[in-house]
Amino acid sequence: MNEMSTLKIDYVLTSEGLRTVPPVILCGKVSAVSALAVDCAGLSHHLAVGDRLWLERHGGADVLAEIVGAGGGVLRAAPFGSTQGLRAGARVRAVVSNGTGGLAPCENWLGRVIDPLGRPADGLGPMVHGDVARKVRCGPPQAIGRARLGAPIDLGVRVLNCFATCRTGQRLGLFAGSGVGKSTLLSMLARHTHCDMAVLALVGERGREVREFIEDDLGPEGLARSVVVVATSDAPPLMRREAAYAAMTVAEHFCAEGKSVLLLMDSVTRFCLALRELGLAAGEPPATRGYPPSVFAELPMLLERAGPGEMRQDGSAGQITALFTVLVEGGDHDEPVADAVRGILDGHVVLDRRIGEAGRYPAVDVLRSLSRAASGCLDASQTALVREARAAISLYGEMADMVRLGAAKPGADPALDRAMRIVPRIEAMLAQGRDEPTGITESFALLATAMQGG
């Protein structure tokens, strides 16, 4: 027998032992720098896509970066900061340790505004971290092991409670152009939705508007039960992409504790724009309207993480009820991002500029909005009421021009006569100020009242 085969290992390397192993520092060098990416040499056999490293900056602090591509013995990294001060030949450091990395949220994060790396962005001092770090990039729960959608969740907004009834754990898309009241609607949802806590992701938001949204729209009451993750429009694309994943990770932490979490992300479109910048910088070919294929591969990897959590042994489960905003350019609801998001989520809410210009807010287009899970939570009377109201609104819209021209005479069509009487009352009922929360039961009662006596 070989002498080496007789050796015996007289120790066991436990998880506690692994934590005591010192980290290994690998070094390489920068071979090329562009506006969005940095090529690194000397580390291609040790690191993979998704690993992080530090880039030496001339005359400044080192910059954290993430590997987004590899090939030809070179790693292509995207920095979390500016490429200013980076130069060819600079040192690259990669720390290989046994830690899990990621974010470690806890209850103390409520009421805080953070950046995508979990650092404070509100000037309120350092963050208190939890005991266990969660990976920012991970897959959704197993499909068979997930809980089912829960009971209807009260969003506090009449038009959504009635015409896009949402269940706990459902995922809805808010499709709107700029300046249609999207931020105001999000603030109403953050403050009035019946949930344990909320997570807000402001991805690519205008820097000037962040403080206004937090202080005026969200307010102290909404912020107190929220965690806000911010990456403004001037942030590097990697930070904007990471903001979405960081918010999802925070929501998953509280969901794993069995809580009902509301996740609001504004916007998925800017998340996809960040992915497009990273994909093109990594050398991917542009495909659908300039978006590389990786954008549409990564989109469901994010959105599918929201929803019902994994079932516990006692049958309980946390829930992530998510609303993702989508910016539709020029009102094109069939553009690639909007079309992909609509196919993944459980319903869509459309905000129409013409409705807002007419003075009704929230400017939700009832006929173009749909909740795919509403049939599983409404009773027969509520379903009939919503169907009748939709039919009246549709008929009223089709015949509006005829009515204005005087071609539709009263008494010629009883259904049109009734629609002309009740639709203005329905529209008046749907108008709601941001400080006027309305529960589900009350919302349907107001709708029924508006349709009586027609």
Side-chain angles (χ1 to χ4, degrees), residues 145-163:
R146 302 185 83 156
R148 299 188 57 162
L149 295 177
I153 184 170
D154 181 6
L155 300 176
V157 182
R158 292 192 285 268
V159 63
L160 299 184
N161 282 341
C162 291
F163 293 98

Side-chain angles (χ1 to χ4, degrees), residues 333-390:
H333 288 262
D334 294 322
E335 59 93 18
V337 172
D339 195 50
V341 171
R342 191 165 47 245
I344 297 171
L345 301 183
D346 308 317
H348 49 273
V349 176
V350 177
L351 275 65
D352 192 293
R353 189 178 307 276
R354 291 175 299 177
I355 295 176
E357 291 172 348
R360 196 258 280 171
Y361 288 97
V364 175
D365 189 332
V366 170
L367 299 180
R368 299 168 66 192
S369 301
L370 175 69
S371 169
R372 296 193 180 105
S375 59
C377 63
L378 298 180
D379 59 34
S381 62
Q382 292 171 333
T383 301
L385 187 66
V386 170
R387 185 182 297 116
E388 185 181 355
R390 285 182 180 273

Side-chain angles (χ1 to χ4, degrees), residues 110-193:
L110 293 175
R112 298 300 302 269
V113 182
I114 64 174
D115 75 357
L117 300 180
R119 302 175 301 197
D122 51 12
L124 299 180
M127 303 295 297
V128 177
H129 298 280
D131 297 330
V132 180
R134 302 182 65 92
K135 292 184 178 180
V136 176
R137 303 292 298 276
C138 63
Q142 290 293 327
I144 302 299
R146 302 185 83 156
R148 299 188 57 162
L149 295 177
I153 184 170
D154 181 6
L155 300 176
V157 182
R158 292 192 285 268
V159 63
L160 299 184
N161 282 341
C162 291
F163 293 98
T165 311
C166 183
R167 298 173 65 180
T168 306
Q170 189 173 342
R171 304 162 304 175
L172 289 175
L174 297 178
F175 295 77
S178 59
V180 192
K182 170 174 47 64
S183 296
T184 302
L185 178 57
L186 289 179
S187 69
M188 294 172 66
L189 294 169
R191 287 184 295 165
H192 304 323
T193 299

